[in-house]
Amino acid sequence: MTGGHLGGGYDDWDGGRTLPPSDLTDSISVEMFKRRASENMTLPTLKVIAGPDSLRFCSIYPDEQIIIGREDACALPLVDASVSRRHASVTSSGSKLALQDLGSTNGTHYKGKRISAPVLIDIGDEIQIGSVKLRVERLGLDELAHLARMVIKLDQSIRDPLTSLLSRQYLDDELPENLLRHHRAHVTMTAVFLDVDHFKILNDSFGHAMGDQVLVTVSRILKDAIRTSDTAIRYGGEEFVLVLANCDEEGGVALAERIRKRVQEHDWSMIHSAADDLVTTISLGVAEYRGESVAEWIDRADKAMYAAKRAGRNRTHRHRET
């Protein structure tokens, strides 16, 4: 999800308050803005200005309270691991905005100080939710529409078109900075590298269209298995990488095993009757982050995955020093 909580579909989207669904075209999102808001309407808006959630935003209606946190149900959901599930709230009352921490682990900061009671905030102020920095702005219809288009285009630029997972570009452009920030905050990170077993044979036996369907299904299993704070990436071909926040190597192995079993037990005949005899498995490698470069970290997980391949496939291995 790339904006606030969107409910069940386009009809549940609340106009200018949050980012529209990523599969909306620019023209549709602008039209919905125009239909649901006045041309002269402006709304106080929380906008993320730094971190992996950069440019996410949520406008605040009069006499409304919004919740910020990692839960999808929050009006402004953030993926950063330093953010609690229900971290903070902002309440609009008349012309005033009140910021309140909701018992978060890493705190809510205003003017450099951690708050313990509700404080009034104003347009132009900056607040910090965990390690995520936000600014309070007052934005009109055109500005909100422009911001929505920017976020949609940015999101699409780092998405794999087949699976809708993040592409390998994310590893190069976004992950190094995010990883450094989490490491400084002493957040444990673990990578899971996985590969679909015998994928070339699958393509040759059932065709490339079926192969694509297998990749899409595996990606959906991955997205269903991970948390909002985790990241799923299509590394290339039939290879995928999971970046798990607040997760040690033991937790990574446990998650990898759950995913492996779900793929092995999946009923592929649901895709096509020709797949009645199809059994697909994956091999996985797990490596906890040790402060090295992203490339070195992912390489350790990759080597563990190849060790699983050599041991007979359809299994999970953790990285071992040689």
Side-chain angles (χ1 to χ4, degrees):
M1 184 180 292
T2 51
H5 182 56
L6 301 173
Y10 298 169
D11 291 338
D12 298 312
W13 179 52
D14 48 14
R17 174 177 154 180
T18 57
L19 178 66
S22 59
D23 53 356
L24 278 176
T25 64
D26 292 352
S27 60
I28 293 177
S29 45
V30 172
E31 183 60 33
M32 293 189 79
F33 273 120
K34 289 181 178 179
R35 189 171 71 242
R36 297 198 181 188
S38 164
E39 288 289 347
N40 298 320
M41 183 179 185
T42 62
L43 291 168
T45 301
L46 289 176
K47 184 173 76 174
V48 180
I49 58 176
D53 297 289
S54 185
L55 296 185
R56 291 187 186 215
F57 67 94
C58 181
S59 295
I60 309 164
Y61 288 135
D63 301 315
E64 178 188 39
Q65 181 185 68
I66 67 163
I67 306 297
I68 309 166
R70 284 210 331 271
E71 285 186 353
D72 285 344
C74 291
L76 182 55
L78 304 174
V79 301
D80 194 286
S82 66
V83 177
S84 296
R85 297 181 67 83
R86 290 172 59 85
H87 195 111
S89 69
V90 175
T91 303
S92 171
S93 178
S95 60
K96 297 180 179 179
L97 297 173
L99 171 69
Q100 181 176 4
D101 185 78
L102 300 179
S104 66
T105 301
N106 295 312
T108 300
H109 293 75
Y110 175 63
K111 293 186 175 180
K113 296 181 179 180
R114 183 167 181 164
I115 65 172
S116 57
V119 297
L120 293 178
I121 58 176
D122 204 352
I123 304 302
D125 286 347
E126 293 186 3
I127 62 177
Q128 186 166 322
I129 306 295
S131 62
V132 179
K133 291 184 178 180
L134 304 94
R135 184 163 52 234
V136 186
E137 300 183 1
R138 181 169 288 280
L139 300 178
L141 174 65
D142 290 342
E143 294 167 306
L144 288 168
H146 174 68
L147 185 57
R149 285 195 297 265
M150 286 178 59
V151 179
I152 290 171
K153 289 178 180 178
L154 178 64
D155 185 65
Q156 290 175 341
S157 71
I158 57 174
R159 292 277 170 189
D160 171 60
L162 176 64
T163 64
S164 295
L165 299 183
L166 290 169
S167 68
R168 189 168 178 172
Q169 181 182 345
Y170 172 83
L171 292 176
D172 300 327
D173 297 347
E174 303 288 338
L175 185 57
E177 180 182 344
N178 299 342
L179 188 60
L180 180 60
R181 186 177 61 259
H182 288 144
H183 188 58
R184 286 172 175 170
H186 305 291
V187 175
T188 304
M189 305 288 287
T190 294
V192 178
F193 199 110
L194 63 104
D195 179 273
V196 179
D197 295 328
H198 300 299
F199 190 70
K200 184 179 184 304
I201 296 176
L202 186 154
N203 268 336
D204 291 343
S205 300
F206 294 94
H208 289 278
M210 182 67 74
D212 284 348
Q213 285 300 311
V214 168
L215 295 178
V216 169
T217 301
V218 169
S219 72
R220 289 174 178 167
I221 292 173
L222 297 180
K223 287 187 283 188
D224 181 61
I226 64 175
R227 304 160 299 172
T228 305
S229 58
D230 301 328
T231 304
I233 301 153
R234 186 183 181 191
Y235 192 76
E238 66 274 23
E239 296 176 325
F240 300 85
V241 173
L242 301 178
V243 177
L244 311 177
N246 274 320
C247 181
D248 60 15
E249 195 166 271
E250 291 295 331
V253 170
L255 175 66
E257 277 295 285
R258 287 198 298 271
I259 292 171
R260 183 188 64 79
K261 291 175 182 177
R262 288 184 191 179
V263 173
Q264 181 183 14
E265 296 167 1
H266 187 77
D267 182 5
W268 297 100
S269 66
M270 297 173 64
I271 297 177
H272 195 280
S273 58
D276 282 341
D277 299 328
L278 175 62
V279 176
T280 298
T281 61
I282 56 175
S283 298
L284 308 96
V286 180
E288 188 174 318
Y289 183 62
R290 298 177 180 170
E292 70 267 62
S293 70
V294 169
E296 291 170 328
W297 178 37
I298 300 303
D299 182 62
R300 286 198 295 113
D302 186 21
K303 288 179 179 176
M305 183 274 293
Y306 273 105
K309 292 273 193 186
R310 291 193 296 271
R313 296 182 173 84
N314 189 26
R315 61 196 68 207
T316 300
H317 275 208
R318 67 185 71 199
H319 180 259
R320 301 292 188 191
E321 296 293 345
T322 56

